[in-house]
Amino acid sequence: MHYERDQIAEHYLFIDETEFAGRRAIELRGLWENEVKVAGGPFKAFAFYDEDTGRAYLVDIAAFAPGQEKEVFIRQLEIMARTFQTAADIQRGS
């Protein structure tokens, strides 16, 4: 309902390797847009594979704040996202 027709603005998409949750990961960052709702903003997403569980994870953050500086929101969201732990991480006390 909230994200219908959201898409990535491909000409503003950047992809890099990074570290996330103690693992090698792919970072996507750029702009999302919704032409129907006339909305958009910055986003970041971190994708990684957890060998302990055999699961792939995608941790996604995005901001929508019309008329406001968005960088501070993205930074705050990334700080929160980087607290992510799998159940195995918690059991190990990582």
Side-chain angles (χ1 to χ4, degrees):
M1 174 173 72
H2 298 289
Y3 303 109
E4 187 174 332
R5 299 206 181 159
D6 283 0
Q7 61 188 17
I8 294 171
E10 290 184 26
H11 49 283
Y12 291 110
L13 178 63
F14 301 92
I15 303 170
D16 294 302
E17 283 191 31
T18 190
E19 178 275 330
F20 189 87
R23 296 166 182 85
R24 189 170 150 230
I26 300 296
E27 176 183 350
L28 294 94
R29 66 184 188 286
L31 296 176
W32 66 272
E33 61 188 2
N34 186 313
E35 293 177 358
V36 173
K37 296 180 180 178
V38 190
F43 80 93
K44 280 189 177 185
F46 302 93
F48 67 92
Y49 179 74
D50 178 44
E51 292 189 20
D52 292 335
T53 60
R55 293 182 178 181
Y57 289 88
L58 178 68
V59 179
D60 181 35
I61 61 174
F64 177 62
Q68 297 185 42
E69 178 62 41
K70 294 151 191 72
E71 183 179 1
V72 68
F73 295 126
I74 288 293
R75 286 181 184 208
Q76 290 172 344
L77 288 166
E78 184 172 350
I79 289 167
M80 289 185 277
R82 287 189 175 274
T83 67
F84 176 88
Q85 292 182 305
T86 65
D89 292 338
I90 293 167
Q91 288 176 354
R92 280 194 302 271
S94 301

